[in-house]
Amino acid sequence: MKLTILGCYAATPRTITNPTSQVLEIQNRMFLIDCGEGTQVQLRKHKIKFSKINHIFISHLHGDHFYGLIGLVSTFMLLNRTNDLHIYGPKGIKEIIVLQLRLSNSWTSYGLYFHELESKESEMIYEDEKVTVKTIPLKHRVYTNGFLFEEKIGERRLNIEAVQTYEIDRIYYQNIKNGKDITLDDGRVIENCVLTFDPDQPKSYAFCSDTMYDEQIVQHIKGVTALYHESTFLESEAEKGMQTMHSTAKEAAHIAAKANVGQLILGHYSTRYDSIELFQEEAQSIFSNVALADDGASFEI
């Protein structure tokens, strides 16, 4: 699982920073999470193939989280895209994008599907044979969701030494990895646990976009491998965080500690601060394993 940060600063873009957008690569799938202004430029800068993005998740309809979407949708068309594109986001996102396409007479040549979200409860919004995605209800000034990406438990791992000892033909390897016992030519039944190891522990990633401090999210992110949690302010501006319904670095760390996550990644910094290192220092007073998102940073989860 690899996370690439395209942008992670609050409010308006600057020449040196970009608003929220990130790419999560998981089980050979590539998901785009939020799409702030300049996202497609960042995708090019970091050599991420546009064609691999088939699912886009938008947390809420504030500009710094989706104003880059119409540009990306249009660029896909100019690149002669043929793959379907699925967009998951708050109710209203379809109206916004379709209006712009209609008035510019720029209908897509590929399938464009909107999955509009309204529920204030966590719900499954994507599932295939290897990955699930659920919403994480957040508290912000407008309807907002975070997203929980989880790997499904994979195949059992082949114990090559044991398989070779029993001289088992390769044609049975997939059945073995699927958990089946094997009957040898002499009638002996070899139990699967002798021939395999437990599958790798599935990994998970939680993206918590703009939100005030809310312990309700802990139940949805318990034990995740990595948590990205907004940290717009330092404690010195905690009151402003309450007013604007944003979190501080310490509050993000409290959530990480209560949820017993593996790693906390901070982001969505206010540009009022001279150094983002201050966010890490404050968070580490509560939770030790803290990393800082920054434009262009990547994390192997």
Side-chain angles (χ1 to χ4, degrees):
M1 188 183 296
K2 180 180 179 182
L3 177 69
T4 301
I5 306 296
L6 303 177
C8 63
Y9 288 79
T12 59
R14 301 182 297 174
T15 57
I16 56 172
T17 61
N18 293 274
T20 301
S21 185
Q22 50 187 246
V23 170
L24 181 67
E25 298 176 58
I26 173 174
Q27 293 289 344
N28 296 316
R29 291 127 176 88
M30 187 173 287
F31 298 131
L32 180 65
I33 309 169
D34 275 352
C35 190
E37 188 177 346
T39 291
Q40 60 180 316
V41 175
Q42 287 292 90
L43 287 169
R44 290 189 184 280
K45 181 177 179 181
H46 298 291
K47 297 180 171 56
I48 296 172
K49 290 187 177 180
F50 285 37
S51 61
K52 289 188 175 182
I53 297 172
N54 297 317
H55 300 271
I56 300 175
F57 298 86
I58 302 297
S59 61
H60 64 295
L61 297 182
H62 279 163
D64 56 331
H65 292 261
F66 89 104
Y67 276 175
L69 184 56
I70 183 60
L72 184 59
V73 167
S74 299
T75 295
F76 280 145
M77 180 179 60
L78 296 175
L79 295 175
N80 298 314
R81 180 188 178 96
T82 57
N83 292 351
D84 292 343
L85 179 65
H86 294 263
I87 297 173
Y88 308 77
K91 184 175 177 59
I93 194 167
K94 178 178 180 179
E95 179 183 359
I96 293 169
I97 299 301
V98 169
L99 176 63
Q100 293 176 92
L101 292 174
R102 179 170 63 82
L103 293 180
S104 62
N105 193 26
S106 300
W107 298 111
T108 63
S109 54
Y110 56 88
L112 182 60
Y113 299 93
F114 293 90
H115 306 265
E116 294 194 306
L117 309 174
E118 297 181 84
S119 176
K120 294 184 179 180
E121 303 293 328
S122 177
E123 59 180 338
M124 180 96 70
I125 57 174
Y126 174 86
E127 182 177 19
D128 62 26
E129 68 276 11
K130 292 188 176 181
V131 177
T132 64
V133 184
K134 299 175 184 175
T135 57
I136 305 170
L138 301 176
K139 286 187 178 180
H140 193 42
R141 301 193 304 277
V142 297
Y143 175 75
T144 305
N145 284 302
F147 302 105
L148 173 62
F149 300 83
E150 295 179 289
E151 294 178 335
K152 291 184 176 180
I153 296 177
E155 299 174 334
R156 296 188 65 79
R157 295 177 293 127
L158 210 60
N159 181 339
I160 293 296
E161 183 178 346
V163 167
Q164 291 176 345
T165 297
Y166 290 104
E167 299 181 346
I168 297 173
D169 195 289
R170 294 179 64 88
I171 63 172
Y172 299 109
Y173 283 7
Q174 189 58 55
N175 283 342
I176 295 171
K177 289 191 287 186
N178 289 342
K180 295 183 179 180
D181 298 338
I182 293 295
T183 302
L184 302 180
D185 292 340
D186 61 10
R188 286 182 295 161
V189 176
I190 309 303
E191 293 185 356
N192 187 266
C193 61
V194 176
L195 303 173
T196 61
F197 301 111
D198 289 339
D200 293 330
Q201 186 69 23
K203 297 175 182 177
S204 54
Y205 172 67
F207 170 84
C208 288
S209 170
D210 297 16
T211 181
M212 65 186 300
Y213 180 77
D214 179 19
E215 293 184 4
Q216 288 298 311
I217 71 173
V218 170
Q219 62 184 310
H220 303 298
I221 62 173
K222 279 278 188 185
V224 297
T225 311
L227 164 67
Y228 174 96
H229 194 292
E230 77 120 286
S231 55
T232 307
F233 298 107
L234 297 175
E235 279 301 299
S236 55
E237 281 74 43
E239 184 175 343
K240 189 167 185 63
M242 288 288 293
Q243 294 170 353
T244 59
M245 301 186 76
H246 282 293
S247 298
T248 67
K250 274 191 176 181
E251 288 173 334
H254 278 296
I255 294 295
K258 289 179 181 295
N260 193 30
V261 308
Q263 180 183 39
L264 170 63
I265 303 172
L266 299 178
H268 201 265
Y269 319 107
S270 169
T271 55
R272 70 183 60 214
Y273 302 106
D274 294 330
S275 172
I276 62 174
E277 303 296 329
L278 299 172
F279 291 86
Q280 187 175 42
E281 291 174 11
E282 284 204 352
Q284 284 180 329
S285 68
I286 306 297
F287 184 82
S288 61
N289 192 5
V290 179
L292 293 174
D294 205 355
D295 294 5
S298 63
F299 301 87
E300 292 291 341
I301 297 173

